[in-house]
Amino acid sequence: MFKKIILVVFVLLLCSCNPSELKTVDQLGDPIPWVAPHYDFKFTIENVMERSTHVAIVELLDQQPYDEDGMESIFIFSVKSLLAGKLPSNTIKVLNNSACYKPDETYLLFLSVSSFSEWPYDLHIPFTPYTFRISNGEDIDCLQRIEMPSVNAERTFVKPFENPEHNKLSFLKKYIEKRATSVEKYTLVSENTDLDYLNKEADVILVIHPNKIEYINPFINDVWYEMIDCFQGTPPENNWLMLPTDIYLDNDYLLFLTESEPKVFSLTSRGSYFPKGSPEYTNFMTGLED
């Protein structure tokens, strides 16, 4: 009887030790140290996937500056294999530190899409502690440190998982694909700028004349304005909006807005703002007269 009990306990111990369980090495951290304090969860593949919209194997096509100091860049990637999530295109734009990625390297990235109608395009934000580089089509290592914040900075990589077999793309790809349905669902903003569509979908339609503009980031500015006319809905309070950076002080603009939350307004579609003199502005005003 005692031997049977020992055997049962031994079997239970074996079952509780999943040989495919992914355990990261103790020193695994974030190559972007000022971001790390904002994570409030344990770093595991499962937890990261639940907070991502996509997991993809990508190759770098181009790199463009995001800000004037050169600290961050927009990386344009070709998606070679999509392991989780859905994409409308096989090309994506990723915002990250300018030294993270290099040409002629392949990466496995965990990404969260950010889609705002005021931005010129959708951006993917990576979970930087899991910046996995793929070498020789199979070997996985993980970016851990960037020596200097510059494009040519030296980078340090480590093997991310304790079990050497887990540091292989063939294993990790299957592991992720089995959990592909766990990624976050998302909705991309509309890019439809047809006037008939905007007239139906917008909560507010108004014409403004900007009188003060302050920089927020390379995509958007704070804009204070005089309201010239409101054709539909209740306009925003305080005559203030966050708007794209190609809105200037010296013109009037026709805006189509959606109230995304109470008293919070955004453009109904990406590009649903038209300067006076544009065909859309003229056609809208002509339609009011008909």
Side-chain angles (χ1 to χ4, degrees), residues 3 10 47 81 87 101 109 114 119 133 164 206 235 243 273:
K3 289 183 178 180
F10 181 69
N47 284 344
S81 180
L87 286 170
Y101 313 117
L109 300 180
S114 292
W119 290 10
R133 182 177 63 176
L206 72 166
L243 293 171
Y273 59 100

Side-chain angles (χ1 to χ4, degrees), residues 223-273:
V223 178
W224 289 264
Y225 58 85
E226 175 190 356
M227 188 177 71
I228 304 302
D229 209 340
C230 184
F231 304 102
Q232 181 169 296
T234 302
E237 297 179 355
N238 303 321
N239 287 12
W240 165 87
L241 289 166
M242 287 188 291
L243 293 171
T245 54
D246 58 350
I247 284 183
Y248 306 104
L249 294 174
D250 59 350
N251 207 348
D252 293 349
Y253 293 87
L254 171 67
L255 306 183
F256 295 83
L257 304 176
T258 294
E259 191 171 10
S260 52
E261 298 177 23
K263 299 183 180 181
V264 177
F265 294 85
S266 59
L267 294 172
T268 299
S269 290
R270 184 170 287 142
S272 63
Y273 59 100

